[in-house]
Amino acid sequence: MSLLGKAGHASVAHESGFPAHRAGVERLLASYRAIPGDATVRLAKKTSNLFRARAKNPAPGLDVSGLAEVIAVDPVAKTADVAGMTTYEDLVAATLPYGLAPLVVPQLKTITLGGAVTGLGIESTSFRSGLPHESVLEMDILTGAGEIITATPDNEHADLFRGFPNSYGTLGYSVRLKIELETVQPYVALRHVRFHDLRELERTLATIVTERSYDGEQVDYLDGVVFTADESYLTLGRQTDEPGPVSDYTGMDIFYRSIQHDAAQPKRDRLTILDYLWRWDTDWFWCSRAFGTQNPKIRRFWPKRYRRSSFYWKLIALDHKYDIADKLEARKGNPPRERVVQDIEVPVERTADFVEWFLREIPIEPLWLCPLRLRETGAPAAASAASAERTWPLYPLEPHRTYVNVGFWSAVPTTPGQQEGAANRAIERTVTDFDGHKSLYSDSYYDKDEFAALYGGNTYIELKKRYDPDQRLLDLYSKAVQRK
């Protein structure tokens, strides 16, 4: 399948079997033509999983309302063609009936496939399957020049295929993605392994990533939680079709609290594959506690349909609009709080160093841990050996090296007179010192030269020249750091 077109032309598709998608592409191109030539091209999308503040855009935006469906699933080839604005909730719902799932399913239901590819995503399969963009076979992308082109690992737009991840809509927007799927079993058997020492956790995690097993059992899913320096856990998941009782963390019970235990032996649990994939969404990891949802008295009356990340996002939007949290702090005589909502990656051998530093300097807990490696095996048979070990210039992780994502999402008190973003700036310096990287979905404070060195440099400049020659789209620094 290939959808080719230009904003100035009527013909954009040749696939008569998918009229809804074709109509969505037509609306997208029509909306591009309606944007004044001197205006910045942006999405007309009201919702977002970004934590960065963004300047309002007075011009009309791109109409992506027709690009939010799973176009087709091929259960034999184990692939899916998916419109760029399709949420993972809808994508999983379309693939699980075939016993299939995307190779990496980010934690929150409303993350879109296109968003996870252009902005990076991660989950507990990333130690074996990399990041979401690594299972993409081809993409139709609307570029800043108004063209819809098909990019693959080895066609004339291979440079855009490699440069699109971590570009955050500054090189274009995905219209359709063809992705690989993997077979999944109906259940996931879990072991929560406790550690009293972060360095022991680090060593064990590195070994599991290499061996894909622990204590004689296969490990298909791997992540962890740090509560304190002497209480941390790795959660090991194994796919299984064995019938039996399963836990439910969409009601009164809270998943992250179920991890904790004092026993020397791992604590065991079982979930359906669907509940496992969305285990973090009900309470937005642990962030639902900020809204009182974890209080049993409140939780009992909080409608179940509102216990999900999409509803918490609406509450966050209200807070941003009316400064509710800062006003409440002011009433208590407290200063405003600095938002520290970040995901970073450090090499596995620096994990304990970073977490120990963080626990000393930044008063936030718990922390999420998720190991990852660039994908080294399982590339499609048609791909070349070189493409099985691709690098991605806008987020240059090293092949054959294990990293650990550390996620932390809260706010810290500010000190009068300190530099704006003091905590976030300290985190950025430490991550760089530890040879790591930081995701760009939230606040960033790098200067231009450091940012360029970390996120694509001249490669990015050349991609902008080729695919957005008139600078219709914002550049990455303007978007990620300057909040334009």
Side-chain angles (χ1 to χ4, degrees):
M1 185 190 311
S2 177
L3 301 176
L4 303 175
K6 189 174 177 68
H9 295 78
S11 178
V12 298
H14 70 266
E15 297 297 334
S16 60
F18 304 112
H21 183 66
R22 187 171 64 252
V25 174
E26 294 282 6
R27 289 204 299 275
L28 173 72
L29 293 176
S31 67
Y32 180 97
R33 293 192 292 268
I35 299 173
D38 60 349
T40 299
V41 175
R42 304 187 78 152
L43 298 181
K45 185 170 174 274
K46 294 182 179 180
T47 60
S48 173
N49 280 289
L50 297 178
F51 275 89
R52 291 190 254 105
R54 293 179 295 174
K56 290 185 178 180
N57 186 19
L62 294 172
D63 181 356
V64 292
S65 60
L67 301 175
E69 65 175 2
V70 178
I71 303 165
V73 176
D74 186 335
V76 176
K78 296 184 181 179
T79 62
D81 284 276
V82 186
M85 297 298 159
T86 304
T87 67
Y88 273 92
E89 182 175 24
D90 291 340
L91 177 53
V92 166
T95 61
L96 275 190
Y98 299 102
L100 299 170
L103 274 64
V104 180
V105 179
Q107 313 85 351
L108 306 181
K109 293 178 178 179
T110 55
I111 293 174
T112 64
L113 176 59
V117 170
T118 194
L120 303 185
I122 192 171
E123 236 294 328
S124 59
T125 55
S126 290
F127 77 104
R128 59 181 174 85
S129 296
L131 302 174
H133 57 269
E134 296 190 84
S135 52
V136 175
L137 301 174
E138 63 182 36
M139 292 181 278
D140 292 340
I141 299 170
L142 174 66
T143 68
E147 298 176 318
I148 295 181
I149 64 171
T150 299
T152 72
D154 51 10
N155 73 356
E156 67 271 30
H157 302 298
D159 57 345
L160 182 59
F161 185 91
R162 291 189 298 271
F164 194 74
N166 209 44
S167 63
Y168 282 93
T170 65
L171 297 175
Y173 294 99
S174 58
V175 176
R176 177 193 63 91
L177 305 97
K178 185 172 186 177
I179 64 169
E180 295 176 76
L181 305 172
E182 68 175 3
T183 299
V184 293
Q185 298 298 325
Y187 305 103
V188 179
L190 299 178
R191 288 174 291 167
H192 305 304
V193 184
R194 177 167 179 167
F195 297 86
H196 298 276
D197 180 85
L198 289 169
R199 298 191 180 274
E200 182 187 359
L201 177 145
E202 176 185 288
R203 289 190 295 270
T204 303
L205 187 151
T207 300
I208 294 172
V209 169
T210 301
E211 298 182 356
R212 307 281 180 91
S213 67
Y214 176 78
D215 198 23
E217 290 185 39
Q218 179 175 316
V219 175
D220 299 311
Y221 304 98
L222 175 62
D223 65 350
V225 177
V226 176
F227 290 91
T228 66
D230 58 4
E231 185 189 3
S232 57
Y233 300 85
L234 291 179
T235 293
L236 322 177
R238 174 178 58 85
Q239 293 190 31
T240 178
D241 60 359
E242 302 163 5
V246 293
S247 297
D248 180 359
Y249 296 105
T250 63
M252 292 298 292
D253 294 331
I254 298 168
F255 178 72
Y256 86 99
R257 289 299 182 193
S258 76
I259 293 171
Q260 295 181 278
H261 64 89
D262 293 323
Q265 295 300 314
K267 180 180 180 181
R268 292 186 178 265
D269 200 356
R270 281 168 50 90
L271 296 173
T272 66
I273 180 62
L274 183 66
D275 283 350
Y276 176 79
L277 292 175
W278 303 131
R279 68 201 183 284
W280 293 121
D281 190 85
T282 301
D283 285 286
W284 209 1
F285 285 83
W286 32 81
C287 297
S288 65
R289 63 188 179 182
F291 311 111
T293 317
Q294 294 183 25
N295 182 324
K297 294 179 181 179
I298 297 176
R299 194 178 187 87
R300 186 173 290 109
F301 297 102
W302 193 292
K304 196 170 183 178
R305 68 182 180 277
Y306 294 147
R307 288 185 218 145
R308 51 180 286 142
S309 60
S310 57
F311 184 71
Y312 303 138
W313 263 113
K314 293 179 181 179
L315 299 180
I316 289 288
L318 288 173
D319 177 56
H320 288 174
K321 184 175 182 179
Y322 298 108
D323 294 324
I324 296 171
D326 283 348
K327 288 176 180 176
L328 290 174
E329 290 296 325
R331 291 181 64 179
K332 300 175 186 176
N334 297 329
R337 295 173 67 83
E338 178 186 349
R339 182 177 60 193
V340 182
V341 179
Q342 305 285 355
D343 279 76
I344 64 93
E345 274 93 36
V346 291
V348 66
E349 66 272 14
R350 304 308 303 269
T351 303
D353 291 336
F354 178 81
V355 172
E356 288 171 349
W357 173 87
F358 189 93
L359 293 174
R360 285 194 311 269
E361 302 294 333
I362 311 293
I364 292 176
E365 51 73 27
L367 309 178
W368 184 56
L369 305 179
C370 187
L372 70 146
R373 287 173 70 94
L374 291 183
R375 195 173 171 203
E376 298 172 7
T377 60
S384 67
S387 69
E389 296 181 358
R390 301 182 198 115
T391 55
W392 311 92
L394 271 62
Y395 206 74
L397 303 176
E398 295 180 25
H400 312 294
R401 191 175 192 183
T402 300
Y403 295 83
V404 176
N405 175 285
V406 185
F408 35 93
W409 316 291
S410 190
V412 299
T414 59
T415 301
Q418 72 180 176
Q419 189 178 24
E420 179 192 1
N424 284 283
R425 292 173 190 270
I427 291 166
E428 289 178 354
R429 289 193 298 270
T430 303
V431 170
T432 300
D433 288 345
F434 289 173
D435 199 20
H437 296 79
K438 190 184 86 166
S439 297
L440 297 175
Y441 68 83
S442 190
D443 300 311
S444 296
Y445 295 90
Y446 299 106
D447 64 39
K448 281 191 173 183
D449 290 341
E450 183 178 15
F451 186 87
L454 292 170
Y455 300 103
N458 289 332
T459 299
Y460 179 72
I461 292 172
E462 293 303 314
L463 287 169
K464 283 291 280 185
K465 288 179 181 177
R466 182 177 182 189
Y467 294 103
D468 186 21
D470 297 324
Q471 300 294 303
R472 298 297 310 278
L473 305 169
L474 287 171
D475 69 83
L476 191 55
Y477 188 79
S478 296
K479 207 167 192 178
V481 181
Q482 296 178 326
R483 306 176 189 175
K484 292 184 179 180

